[in-house]
Amino acid sequence: MSDKEPVIITCAVTGGIHTPTMSPYLPVTPDEIIADSLGAVEAGAAILHLHARNPEDGRPDQSVEAFMRFLPRIRQATNAVINLTSGGSPHMKLEERVKPAAELRPEVASLNMGSMNFGLFPLVEKYPEFKFAWERRHLESTRDVVFRNTFQDIEYILSACYANETRFEFECYDISHLYNLAHFAGRGLVKPPFFVQSVFGILGGIGTHPEDVIHMKRTADRLFGKDYRWSVLGAGASQLRIAAQAAAMGANVRVGLEDSLWAGPGRPAKSSAEQVTLVRQIIEGLGLRVATPDEARNILSLKGASAVGF
């Protein structure tokens, strides 16, 4: 990342990990997702990373119809870059996961760069009761789930989206995922600048120790040189600590209620905007500047909001 480039804040407002029981502030309905997204942009987020949910019980919903309940309204209300997940949930089939990004042609789509264990089951012990029956099953089942992202799967998502000039948030949960990205770069199937999102703290992926952050950055530097833009997200309580360390090392950052439900020790975040505000304070405290949406488009070589399909 150039010293002259401002810092891109991505905000992931709901995701497919946390469940309604875990926080009354987790956006579930289209109106809640819209409100949380717009608040995050007002606080300083340049990119919105979006999932959809069933408004009745909050379970992940990867249908195009679910996304269209809020995407047009968000696009109308803000200039932010919109990034659609192709990860969805570890329980979904590949074709289901990629369909919204393939059909709606966003500026950015997420792309998980390798198969992995994705353990959410430790969260079960923290909640004696759940509002909806699916929540416990969803979490407990990850004891025996591999989040499948094979080389064939990755090629499928690339071919489904690149024709639309959609670029990718390459989600790298471990060092091997950087090497997988380098493999596709070597074959010419992905083109720089690579937007590498290093994910720390998911059980089954790399940890949250400061040395893990350094190792990820050092490996990406060696593999990609000036051809990538680095961003980080820390899961759970590690969110702001990792953001602070990585921002000081030249990273962009991602926050939001998808990644953490907290705004400090023992203090639940009441919105994604609260986390954006906190990380913006860190960035500006380092003497850095937060990127606008159009600056993010320029840094990541995006096609522009006029070319999306919603």
Side-chain angles (χ1 to χ4, degrees):
M1 177 174 167
S2 166
D3 291 339
K4 297 181 180 179
E5 287 182 354
V7 180
I8 299 169
I9 299 177
T10 297
C11 185
V13 302
T14 189
I17 293 175
H18 298 122
T19 70
T21 295
M22 297 177 186
S23 171
Y25 309 110
L26 183 71
V28 168
T29 69
D31 285 346
E32 289 168 349
I33 292 171
I34 291 166
D36 207 55
S37 296
L38 298 185
V41 174
E42 184 176 355
I47 300 176
L48 295 170
H49 171 99
L50 299 176
H51 289 239
R53 289 179 179 261
N54 181 315
E56 300 299 324
D57 63 8
R59 74 179 67 205
D61 184 343
Q62 199 68 1
S63 67
V64 172
E65 293 75 18
F67 281 89
M68 287 300 290
R69 295 185 187 115
F70 56 79
L71 284 179
R73 293 163 62 189
I74 292 175
R75 186 189 166 205
Q76 184 178 29
T78 179
N79 185 41
V81 175
I82 293 178
N83 171 349
L84 299 188
T85 179
S86 74
S89 164
H91 305 289
M92 295 176 177
K93 294 182 178 180
L94 179 65
E95 294 77 9
E96 179 183 7
R97 287 165 44 192
V98 76
K99 191 172 183 179
E103 292 194 12
L104 299 176
R105 310 190 305 277
E107 293 184 76
V108 182
S110 68
L111 178 52
N112 295 55
M113 290 309 296
S115 300
M116 60 182 293
N117 294 330
F118 202 98
L120 306 177
F121 58 88
L123 294 171
V124 172
E125 300 173 3
K126 298 183 179 183
Y127 303 93
E129 296 182 359
F130 288 91
K131 293 180 180 179
F132 303 104
W134 75 267
E135 298 179 73
R136 184 181 297 276
R137 294 195 303 268
H138 170 76
L139 299 170
E140 186 63 44
S141 66
T142 63
R143 291 181 187 273
D144 192 33
V145 167
V146 174
F147 190 9
R148 174 184 163 137
N149 296 282
T150 66
F151 290 107
Q152 179 174 285
D153 293 342
I154 293 169
E155 286 192 44
Y156 180 90
I157 294 173
L158 290 173
S159 63
C161 296
Y162 254 149
N164 297 325
E165 297 184 304
T166 295
R167 295 185 67 84
F168 292 94
E169 173 196 21
F170 294 107
E171 296 198 358
C172 296
Y173 292 76
D174 217 332
I175 297 299
S176 62
H177 295 182
L178 295 175
Y179 281 93
N180 291 349
L181 177 57
H183 164 79
F184 286 102
R187 293 172 57 192
L189 296 181
V190 295
K191 301 186 185 306
F194 310 124
F195 186 34
V196 175
Q197 189 72 256
S198 297
V199 183
F200 300 90
I202 295 295
L203 182 60
I206 198 168
T208 62
H209 192 279
E211 290 292 335
D212 294 325
V213 180
I214 293 169
H215 184 33
M216 186 75 82
K217 173 67 160 55
R218 189 165 47 218
T219 304
D221 282 347
R222 177 165 44 80
L223 291 174
F224 308 119
K226 296 181 179 180
D227 285 342
Y228 84 109
R229 299 295 179 266
W230 189 39
S231 185
V232 301
L233 75 88
S238 67
Q239 183 184 73
L240 294 177
R241 174 177 59 78
I242 284 179
Q245 177 188 355
M249 297 165 61
N252 303 288
V253 298
R254 177 174 134 176
V255 294
L257 293 174
E258 172 176 353
D259 303 330
S260 174
L261 298 176
W262 305 99
R267 183 160 65 92
K270 294 183 179 180
S271 67
S272 291
E274 188 174 1
Q275 295 177 345
V276 173
T277 298
L278 290 170
V279 82
R280 181 172 188 165
Q281 291 170 348
I282 291 170
I283 291 164
E284 293 177 343
L286 292 169
L288 302 171
R289 183 171 64 83
V290 170
T292 67
D294 284 337
E295 287 174 327
R297 289 184 173 95
N298 183 61
I299 291 166
L300 301 176
S301 298
L302 304 182
K303 64 182 180 179
S306 63
V308 302
F310 51 88

